[in-house]
Amino acid sequence: MSKVPQGASTHEWVKDYYGKLLESSEDLQTNACCAAGAPAGWIASRLQHVHPEVSERFYGCGFPIPQAVEGATVLDLGCGTGRDAYVIAQLVGEQGRVIGLDMTEEQLATARKTEGWHAERFGYAQANTSFVQGYIEDLKGAGIEDASVDVIVSNCVVNLSPRKDLVLAEAYRALKPGGELYFSDVFVDRRLPEDIANDPLLHAECLGGALYQFDFETLAKVTGFADPRIVSTSPITINNPEIMAKVGLASFVSVTYRLFKLDGLDAQCEDYGQSATYRGGVEGAERLFWLDDHHAFEAGRPERVCGNTAAMLKSTRFAEFFDVRGCRQTHYGAFACDPTMAAAQYAGREVESTAVGATISAPKTSCC
């Protein structure tokens, strides 16, 4: 197991809260750690195959379940009882691998004791999951090697860390080139005072450690994730008067981000005359694929894209689903990164997918 980093007292608060005090998500004082809403159909169908004991102790603020991961190695930071890990285990298939990492032994015990049950439920000869005790700030200490993971996910956990800089640095180190950190977490519209940020209850409820979004994106860029993309945003409600009095007028939201490990991205959107056409084929997005909250791609419909978006579609696991035309030899100036034509047309609408019983909804957020 990895060593406890600086700020261990915060880890102890969180361990006690999630390992000993909470029996289920009903015990939470806000919806910050369970503000997920209804899952998409392709996720809901997999949730039906997750053991009830695992689901009952789920704490998360979104559905950072990655698409197009068949055969991939996926790392779940702060996996808890393993709900998301077991959903993803079905998506990567028997030849893929899912590693769940958490610092709380009580949570991991639940995840581990149902591994055999899940493998049988999925029809696998053996489990494609493993669960490791460790700290998200020290993945190397937990046995995660350099450039060994295709996708890293996390669900309302990064805010709990006292060293978010180390979390991002370790994620960047562990990802393969073209890999992605795809996560949901709690963010706030201002920098919180120390007495709020260090309040044990507020921290454990995912509020005290929430980052001001601008500060987070700056930190991500410094780490190497040059172009953070927001996928969706949803509000967080606080129904506890005592907590409301403490946080005052601060406004909290749940945000799902994509952070790609790609070299050579521009600091802003630049125009190289490139275009991208979605071929279709991503499960749950057969007819309309959302890269982020303002880049939607309808199957067969070319869209002009900036150099960074072109790289995200051409040099990642999404490459097999896109035809990207043009290169970066000629620069035409800044690119007005407005919504794609499909994003503007289908924003706020549900679009029927070719998958049985599935619909595709636009992310609940405004454009950039």
Side-chain angles (χ1 to χ4, degrees), residues 251-271:
S251 177
F252 297 86
V253 292
S254 167
V255 182
T256 298
Y257 271 100
R258 289 190 192 278
L259 306 182
F260 288 103
K261 182 179 180 177
L262 289 168
D263 290 333
L265 294 184
D266 293 311
Q268 64 178 18
C269 294
E270 302 290 352
D271 190 351

Side-chain angles (χ1 to χ4, degrees), residues 33-51:
C33 295
C34 57
W42 62 275
I43 299 174
S45 64
R46 269 79 180 199
L47 285 170
Q48 294 175 4
H49 300 291
V50 175
H51 195 284

Side-chain angles (χ1 to χ4, degrees), residues 21-22 35 57 119 154 158 205 236 264 285 293 303 332 336 363:
L21 296 178
L22 295 183
R57 298 194 68 186
S154 179
V158 176
E205 284 279 335
I236 286 173
D293 65 2
E303 296 273 7
Y332 297 98

Side-chain angles (χ1 to χ4, degrees), residues 82-355:
R83 194 205 73 164
D84 287 355
Y86 284 125
V87 170
I88 297 167
Q90 298 169 71
L91 296 171
V92 300
E94 196 165 5
Q95 303 308 310
R97 183 185 178 205
V98 180
I99 306 164
L101 181 141
D102 204 278
M103 66 178 179
T104 307
E105 185 56 44
E106 292 88 347
Q107 296 272 77
L108 287 172
T110 300
R112 288 169 176 156
K113 73 180 182 181
T114 59
E115 276 194 283
W117 184 94
H118 283 101
E120 183 177 351
R121 181 85 170 191
F122 304 158
Y124 297 166
Q126 59 184 17
N128 64 346
T129 54
S130 59
F131 294 93
V132 182
Q133 187 171 21
Y135 295 91
I136 62 176
E137 303 89 349
D138 182 22
L139 301 182
K140 184 175 281 292
I144 308 300
E145 300 298 328
D146 295 0
S148 61
V149 178
D150 297 293
V151 181
I152 297 176
V153 300
S154 179
N155 199 338
C156 204
V157 171
V158 176
N159 74 86
L160 298 173
S161 172
R163 291 294 306 272
K164 298 171 181 63
D165 57 329
L166 295 181
V167 176
L168 291 181
E170 277 290 85
Y172 191 86
R173 178 192 63 78
L175 283 170
K176 298 176 183 179
E180 178 188 6
L181 172 57
Y182 184 58
F183 76 106
S184 298
D185 222 299
V186 179
F187 294 88
V188 65
D189 66 348
R190 65 198 69 193
R191 296 178 182 126
L192 296 173
E194 287 296 315
D195 61 327
I196 294 178
N198 293 323
D199 182 284
L201 174 60
L202 294 182
H203 206 99
E205 284 279 335
C206 302
L207 299 179
L211 265 180
Y212 175 42
Q213 260 185 280
F214 179 82
D215 288 346
F216 167 75
E217 293 191 4
T218 298
L219 178 60
K221 292 173 183 177
V222 169
T223 304
F225 296 110
D227 189 357
R229 296 291 180 95
I230 293 175
V231 178
S232 62
T233 304
S234 59
I236 286 173
T237 58
I238 301 173
N239 299 317
N240 182 303
E242 181 182 353
I243 292 178
M244 289 179 65
K246 286 184 177 182
V247 302
L249 296 176
S251 177
F252 297 86
V253 292
S254 167
V255 182
T256 298
Y257 271 100
R258 289 190 192 278
L259 306 182
F260 288 103
K261 182 179 180 177
L262 289 168
D263 290 333
L265 294 184
D266 293 311
Q268 64 178 18
C269 294
E270 302 290 352
D271 190 351
Y272 298 96
Q274 294 169 290
S275 66
T277 304
Y278 178 42
R279 298 175 186 153
V282 174
E283 184 185 357
E286 287 83 356
R287 295 172 64 179
L288 185 69
F289 174 81
W290 288 87
L291 177 68
D292 56 49
D293 65 2
H294 59 292
H295 287 91
F297 297 88
E298 185 174 4
R301 181 182 191 176
E303 296 273 7
R304 290 198 65 230
V305 293
C306 69
N308 286 359
T309 298
M312 292 174 188
L313 300 176
K314 186 177 182 179
S315 302
T316 68
R317 68 186 189 280
F318 297 120
E320 65 178 290
F321 304 102
F322 281 88
D323 290 315
V324 178
R325 296 183 176 274
C327 57
R328 297 169 68 103
Q329 287 185 330
T330 303
H331 180 230
Y332 297 98
F335 186 90
C337 203
D338 297 322
T340 59
M341 292 182 291
Q345 182 174 350
Y346 298 115
R349 292 173 53 185
E350 287 192 344
V351 178
E352 287 188 9
S353 166
T354 55

